[in-house]
Amino acid sequence: RQRTESLLGVLSSALEPTVVSLPKNPRGAMSKASARYALHRVFVQRHGWVLNGAAPDGGSWAPTSTVLGVGTYLPRVVRELFETHLDDSDGYTLEGVALLAAAIEALVHAEVYVRLNATYAVLDKDVDRALSQEDASHVIDVYLQTILLGLQITKLSREEVVEATKDFTYMFPYWEEIKGLVPEAQREVASGLQSFAFMDITRILQRIS
């Protein structure tokens, strides 16, 4: 909740120019299609994210599921909350869409934190100790590889991770392009560092995610 609240003002400001430009109903609220477009646009602008459910379906901005199309991808409790309070037939406000965007960002950040903790554990790294550039790069590589493989690293042993990723570059020929995102993210959020604390790596991965 604290993370969501801290993001709310930032996302309200980021959404406002788009929301102002969109058509409104007599009570000043957006349609589902317009609100979905605003949600999609703010994540593309802020992070380059194309969210499942928020991107258009076959060229249409009309959502095909609840919570502006992203309901399927939210935890049940969060989905039900927004279905009750956001999916309003009278339209969508800037405040409502900003709250949804803040909740999604907070969920993404929380997932990065949990997965990175598990990656440290699997690689026998101490979250309280700084890592060298080499070790930090290895942690980031394993983190990204397990995501691309669709693996739940929180349930895997070190041996299982090594086995699953040993032929990774063969299975994913575009891996080098994905790795190329890391230096760019590092320059943006952890520029000039020679050693990396857990939260430094978290910020790099949040930027990539």
Side-chain angles (χ1 to χ4, degrees):
R1 178 179 175 179
Q2 184 177 8
R3 177 71 184 180
T4 301
E5 290 174 350
S6 69
L7 286 166
L8 186 55
V10 173
L11 282 157
S12 292
S13 298
L15 278 160
E16 188 171 14
T18 299
V19 171
V20 166
S21 71
L22 293 170
K24 315 287 192 307
N25 65 18
R27 57 183 288 268
M30 294 173 285
S31 67
K32 289 183 179 180
S34 292
R36 186 186 184 204
Y37 170 77
L39 182 69
H40 167 76
R41 184 172 173 80
V42 76
F43 284 121
V44 170
Q45 288 180 325
R46 276 175 60 79
H47 305 295
W49 295 352
V50 178
L51 295 182
N52 288 332
D57 301 312
S60 172
W61 286 104
T64 55
S65 62
T66 61
V67 197
L68 300 181
V70 301
T72 305
Y73 305 97
L74 298 175
R76 181 181 60 82
V77 173
V78 178
R79 183 185 72 245
E80 290 177 354
L81 180 67
F82 280 106
E83 285 174 346
T84 302
H85 298 286
L86 180 69
D87 281 348
D88 184 346
S89 59
D90 289 332
Y92 297 80
T93 64
L94 168 63
E95 293 76 12
V97 177
L99 184 59
L100 174 58
I104 291 170
E105 279 212 22
L107 287 168
V108 170
H109 292 165
E111 182 180 357
V112 170
Y113 187 90
V114 170
R115 286 192 70 101
L116 184 56
N117 251 304
T119 305
Y120 265 67
V122 162
L123 298 177
D124 198 26
K125 302 298 182 185
D126 185 346
V127 296
D128 294 321
R129 296 186 63 182
L131 300 181
S132 66
Q133 176 73 67
E134 182 180 359
D135 284 344
S137 295
H138 182 52
V139 167
I140 291 170
D141 285 354
V142 171
Y143 176 99
L144 294 173
Q145 288 172 354
T146 55
I147 286 181
L148 292 169
L149 289 167
L151 300 176
Q152 185 55 269
I153 195 169
T154 55
K155 299 179 180 179
L156 299 177
S157 67
R158 180 185 180 91
E159 292 72 23
E160 288 171 325
V161 169
V162 169
E163 179 64 25
T165 59
K166 67 179 183 180
D167 295 321
F168 190 83
T169 54
Y170 174 77
M171 292 184 289
F172 288 85
Y174 51 85
W175 170 237
E176 290 303 318
E177 284 113 18
I178 294 173
K179 281 186 69 174
L181 298 173
V182 177
E184 180 180 348
Q186 183 176 326
R187 284 193 297 272
E188 291 176 1
V189 300
S191 179
L193 294 183
Q194 300 301 314
S195 62
F196 299 81
F198 180 86
M199 288 310 300
D200 295 325
I201 298 177
T202 300
R203 286 193 294 270
I204 291 169
L205 290 170
Q206 286 171 346
R207 184 63 178 156
I208 294 171
S209 298

